[in-house]
Amino acid sequence: ARRLRAVPAPCPAAGVSQVTVRDALNQALDEELERDERVFLLGEEVAQYDGAYKISRGLWKKYGDKRVIDTPISEMGFTGIAVGAAMAGLRPVCEFMTFNFSMQAIDQVINSAAKTCYMSAGSIAVPIVFRGPNGASAGVAAQHSQCFAAWYGHCPGLKVVSPWSSEDAKGLLKASIRDDNPVVMLENELLYGVPFEMSEQAQSKDFVVPIGKAKIERQGTHVTLVSHSRPVGHCLEAAAVLAKEGVECEVINLRTIRPMDIETVEASVVKTNHLVTVEGGWPQFGVGAEICARIMEGSAFNYLDAPAVRVTGADVPMPYAKILEDNCLPQVKDIIFAVKKTLNI
């Protein structure tokens, strides 16, 4: 895929192996289908074709038609089936070929899944996972390039997770399937083929990543960078460049959009006194805007030595042309510029 730059470690530690995000997701689905007979997967092309992005590779042959179900091209229909199945006690994993298509089923996701537990006074749980690729891919233009983190993060009743690494992807998917609430899992198509280091522990069947807990990917003292999904990698690259100039960035991988781990961000801001948020979505009412508002409203605001800065996608529908597409998405140079701006260097 274009513009893809993984940052592998120079020498893997003992018991550590390289696993792609695609394989990590496949492991998680396989392990949860095996662990709990109530779990099933449905969506377009998930069964006989092994998934549009091969996330469900081999699962139909292993578990059969009742556990891995191909659906017609009707998001409203198969999402409604999945939500009803969750209300009846099953634990569906509902795959959207891209989250842009989840707009066809927005009534089922929000009005049927997210609100039912509240409206039934807690008597009806909806343990369902909505998953698939989110945000911009490469060369797919405006209809297929939105980031829905802010959209779904806005809605009470949902949990929203956004993995970056293979460890994130496997641990968050397993935690989402086991959760009794509807969870929206926003993956990134351009990360599917990227290998990341995974420890033996992360590859075990018992490994989960807690929903609602961020991870500090790099320790630093001068500025806090907060991001989620693919831009986490850009932040780490920018941090490596800035370190050569004497600027130490603390990089936080948010992992969960809702509920947001603002405590980890606050603790970092208290230490670094500067904040830059990075996301691929649009600026207005975005994830970065929410982080900045939470920091301003909390005690960490008193520790800021400069205004918080947001790095976001451009405020336009995604163009098709590659050079315009590149300039609509946050790049490493944009993060470096934002850090130098907030540090006044």
Side-chain angles (χ1 to χ4, degrees):
R2 295 191 273 122
R3 303 191 306 273
L4 217 56
R5 288 169 291 185
V7 190
C11 182
V16 173
S17 56
Q18 297 274 328
V19 179
T20 65
V21 171
R22 174 181 290 108
D23 288 341
L25 290 166
N26 181 265
Q27 281 178 25
L29 286 170
D30 189 7
E31 290 168 8
E32 293 305 300
L33 283 162
E34 181 181 64
R35 186 187 67 86
D36 188 342
E37 65 180 11
R38 296 172 298 173
V39 175
F40 71 98
L41 172 66
L42 79 167
E44 296 150 353
E45 308 285 9
V46 299
Q48 296 185 43
Y49 188 66
D50 280 342
Y53 302 99
K54 306 308 174 192
I55 304 300
S56 54
R57 184 181 62 247
L59 299 181
W60 173 67
K61 289 181 180 177
K62 183 174 182 179
Y63 294 102
D65 290 324
K66 290 187 177 181
R67 305 289 301 283
V68 184
I69 304 169
D70 276 332
T71 66
I73 304 175
S74 175
E75 281 75 16
M76 181 183 289
F78 70 73
T79 305
I81 289 170
V83 172
M87 291 178 178
L90 299 180
R91 306 187 82 88
V93 179
C94 178
E95 176 179 309
F96 296 118
M97 197 176 287
T98 158
F99 258 95
N100 299 271
F101 300 160
S102 74
M103 293 295 95
Q104 300 293 323
I106 194 73
D107 181 53
Q108 302 286 8
V109 177
I110 304 301
N111 285 325
S112 298
K115 298 177 183 177
T116 292
C117 185
Y118 176 83
M119 294 179 71
S120 67
S123 64
I124 303 176
V126 189
I128 186 171
V129 179
F130 304 102
R131 55 156 297 272
N134 169 69
S137 179
V140 293
Q143 298 96 324
H144 304 86
S145 298
Q146 286 133 280
C147 174
F148 290 91
W151 292 57
Y152 286 119
H154 180 65
C155 302
L158 292 176
K159 294 184 178 181
V160 183
V161 298
S162 181
W164 168 59
S165 67
S166 299
E167 178 184 300
D168 294 349
K170 181 179 181 182
L172 285 171
L173 181 51
K174 288 172 72 74
S176 299
I177 292 171
R178 297 180 188 190
D179 202 287
D180 288 333
N181 299 281
V183 182
V184 172
M185 182 158 174
L186 304 170
E187 302 153 14
N188 187 284
E189 179 185 337
L190 294 179
L191 288 174
Y192 283 154
V194 179
F196 290 88
E197 287 186 359
M198 284 185 75
S199 65
E200 284 186 27
Q201 179 191 6
Q203 294 183 67
S204 76
K205 292 185 178 182
D206 299 322
F207 177 75
V208 294
V209 169
I211 294 174
K213 185 62 181 173
K215 181 184 180 184
I216 298 175
E217 299 286 351
R218 179 184 177 123
Q219 296 283 345
T221 54
H222 295 128
V223 60
T224 298
L225 299 178
V226 186
S227 189
H228 67 96
S229 192
R230 187 165 173 253
V232 173
H234 296 340
C235 287
L236 290 170
E237 290 184 49
V241 172
L242 287 161
K244 296 175 182 177
E245 301 179 32
V247 177
E248 293 297 332
C249 303
E250 183 146 295
V251 179
I252 296 177
N253 173 8
L254 208 52
R255 281 180 160 177
T256 304
I257 306 302
R258 183 184 184 107
M260 186 177 286
D261 182 7
I262 203 66
E263 292 79 13
T264 295
V265 180
E266 285 179 329
S268 181
V269 169
V270 167
K271 179 170 68 170
T272 67
N273 310 118
H274 299 89
L275 173 64
V276 175
T277 67
V278 184
E279 65 188 304
W282 293 314
Q284 192 154 319
F285 313 114
V287 174
E290 176 66 17
I291 294 168
C292 292
R294 296 272 195 102
I295 292 299
M296 187 199 72
E297 292 167 351
S299 59
F301 173 75
N302 298 312
Y303 291 84
L304 282 175
D305 288 341
V309 175
R310 290 179 294 159
V311 178
T312 71
D315 197 22
V316 296
M318 182 61 69
Y320 173 73
K322 181 183 184 303
I323 189 167
L324 295 177
E325 181 184 64
D326 287 343
N327 281 282
C328 278
L329 293 169
Q331 306 294 330
V332 173
K333 63 180 175 60
D334 302 317
I335 301 168
I336 293 171
F337 177 82
V339 168
K340 291 184 174 182
K341 176 183 176 182
T342 192
L343 292 175
N344 197 28
I345 58 176

